[in-house]
Amino acid sequence: MAQKLLCSCITLQKELEKTIAKTGFDGRVRYLDVALHSDPQKMHRTLQKIIDDNTEAEEIIICVSGCGKATCGLQASTCNLALPRTMDCIDVLLTGSGVKRPDGAIFITKSWMNFMKNSSIDYMKLVREQGKDAAEEYLKKLYKGFTDFYIIDTGTYDLQEVEEYIMPLVKLLDGQLTRLPGPYKVLEKLASGNYDGSVIFIPKGGTLSIHEFDGLRPCTIKK
């Protein structure tokens, strides 16, 4: 019987697989439906049901953080909870890099590239459906205020593939593309149980307060 259950957004799968191999984490791992990213309330309900239905784990590690307040108010009804003290998955990947997250930016990894490819705002999909002019006009309005793009290099995928995918949008917006290191150190702390201030720990019977995220800065759009 696994004493720990790790629940994570699918966008962190590659990084978690590498972390698990490094730390020897032997608990159970469950990846959440990527569609939950677009619905924080549904994400909250899904996570709470996982916690409430738990009968085996003594601790559930939730690799979902602030993420539109999806984790705020979660109740540790059946066991202890642990999760990263970050605003979202981007901040999870940047932990340990020493990089201050730039405001008004678009961040991308291979997992996010795959998510975008299957979304309604994929550049090539829009061009096929609406024609080049209409698609580009729509994207300019959608991304108004965004010109800075960052590929997060986690060492788990081919950066060139992601760069080639995102460049048409970068060029359309007269933007610039930069690579940032993504050591995702908080995942190692969660998987190893070596918790510090970067991890929120809620004992069984407790509730995750929104104040656990005080002082964290959400991404803002440049004027």
Side-chain angles (χ1 to χ4, degrees):
M1 243 182 231
Q3 291 190 334
K4 289 190 177 184
L5 167 64
L6 193 158
C7 297
S8 174
C9 176
I10 195 72
T11 57
L12 296 174
Q13 183 174 2
K14 292 296 184 183
E15 291 76 23
L16 266 175
E17 287 175 349
K18 192 170 180 179
T19 299
I20 287 168
K22 180 178 180 180
T23 61
F25 177 79
D26 61 355
R28 190 158 59 92
V29 179
R30 174 173 175 175
Y31 290 106
L32 304 168
D33 189 333
V34 70
L36 293 174
H37 254 294
S38 304
D39 192 337
Q41 292 183 344
K42 189 173 182 180
M43 173 75 85
H44 179 94
R45 292 193 298 270
T46 299
L47 290 171
Q48 190 62 64
K49 188 174 190 308
I50 291 172
I51 297 166
D52 292 344
D53 291 349
N54 168 56
T55 59
E56 298 183 357
E58 295 177 0
E59 183 170 299
I60 297 179
I61 301 167
I62 301 174
C63 290
V64 178
S65 48
C67 297
K69 301 181 182 178
T71 58
C72 295
L74 285 178
Q75 297 178 354
S77 57
T78 60
C79 65
N80 301 331
L81 304 179
L83 64 160
R85 193 184 302 277
T86 55
M87 284 304 298
D88 53 29
C89 294
I90 299 302
D91 286 339
V92 167
L93 296 178
L94 292 175
T95 55
S97 68
V99 172
K100 182 179 179 182
R101 178 170 172 171
D103 286 340
I106 299 293
F107 299 86
I108 188 167
T109 63
K110 184 171 183 179
S111 293
W112 277 106
M113 177 189 76
N114 292 335
F115 178 75
M116 289 178 70
K117 280 183 176 180
N118 293 315
S119 74
S120 61
I121 58 172
D122 175 68
Y123 180 90
M124 293 308 299
K125 184 186 294 185
L126 284 170
V127 169
R128 289 193 298 269
E129 293 173 352
Q130 302 181 14
K132 192 171 187 295
D133 291 344
E136 291 191 343
E137 185 63 27
Y138 171 76
L139 288 170
K140 284 179 180 179
K141 290 180 180 178
L142 181 67
Y143 287 98
K144 184 179 180 180
F146 289 103
T147 55
D148 298 330
F149 290 75
Y150 295 89
I151 295 178
I152 302 179
D153 182 5
T154 64
T156 61
Y157 63 91
D158 180 7
L159 298 177
Q160 190 61 36
E161 178 186 1
V162 178
E163 186 169 324
E164 290 174 359
Y165 170 78
I166 201 66
M167 277 309 296
L169 182 59
V170 176
K171 290 179 179 178
L172 173 66
L173 302 174
D174 294 322
Q176 57 183 3
L177 182 64
T178 306
R179 294 181 179 183
L180 291 178
Y184 53 93
K185 288 297 183 181
V186 73
L187 294 185
E188 186 174 329
K189 293 174 183 178
L190 287 164
S192 66
N194 185 26
Y195 300 163
D196 60 12
S198 66
V199 172
I200 298 171
F201 180 80
I202 308 297
K204 182 178 177 180
T207 300
L208 200 164
S209 168
I210 191 172
H211 294 298
E212 293 286 356
F213 300 103
D214 283 353
L216 299 181
R217 185 172 50 87
C219 185
T220 56
I221 301 174
K222 291 193 305 182
K223 302 299 182 184

